[in-house]
């Protein structure tokens, strides 16, 4: 699936990933390939994503995420 993480200042990441874990406002949730469509707010925490077996972590203060047709768009506050 394709993940794009943006902040107001910059594009943080854009590319294919195997999975991503978000700090949702109601608790952590994981997104995998073929996930159902969803829009969720994000709380303070960490976004973890796996790109070609390498794990990456980004600290966030909040934001919003949309999942649709194997594309994940996250607009975050750092």
């Amino acid at each position: 699936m394709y993940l794009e993480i943006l902040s107001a200042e910059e594009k943080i990441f854009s590319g294919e990933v195997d999975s991503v874990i978000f700090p949702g406002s109601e608790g952590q949730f994981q997104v995998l390939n073929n996930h159902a469509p969803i829009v969720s707010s994000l709380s303070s925490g960490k976004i973890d994503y796996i790109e070609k077996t390498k794990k990456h972590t980004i600290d966030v203060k909040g934001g919003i995420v949309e999942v649709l047709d194997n594309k994940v768009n996250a607009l975050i506050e750092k």
Side-chain angles (χ1 to χ4, degrees):
M1 80 187 137
Y2 190 81
L3 171 64
E4 189 166 58
I5 303 173
L6 305 169
S7 73
E9 297 83 27
E10 64 182 319
K11 181 187 287 189
I12 296 166
F13 176 79
S14 181
E16 291 290 324
V17 297
D18 296 322
S19 70
V20 60
I21 298 173
F22 290 104
S25 55
E26 298 293 321
Q28 274 192 340
F29 64 95
Q30 182 176 31
V31 176
L32 299 170
N33 204 27
N34 297 317
H35 194 284
I38 186 174
V39 174
S40 177
S41 58
L42 301 176
S43 63
S44 163
K46 297 181 182 301
I47 296 175
D48 295 317
Y49 60 95
I50 299 176
E51 175 194 26
K52 299 178 185 172
T53 70
K54 185 175 179 188
K55 183 179 176 183
H56 302 271
T57 300
I58 297 171
D59 291 319
V60 298
K61 292 181 182 173
I64 189 163
V65 63
E66 175 193 47
V67 179
L68 183 63
D69 296 330
N70 286 326
K71 184 165 183 190
V72 182
N73 294 307
L75 181 58
I76 64 164
E77 180 184 347
K78 288 184 81 174

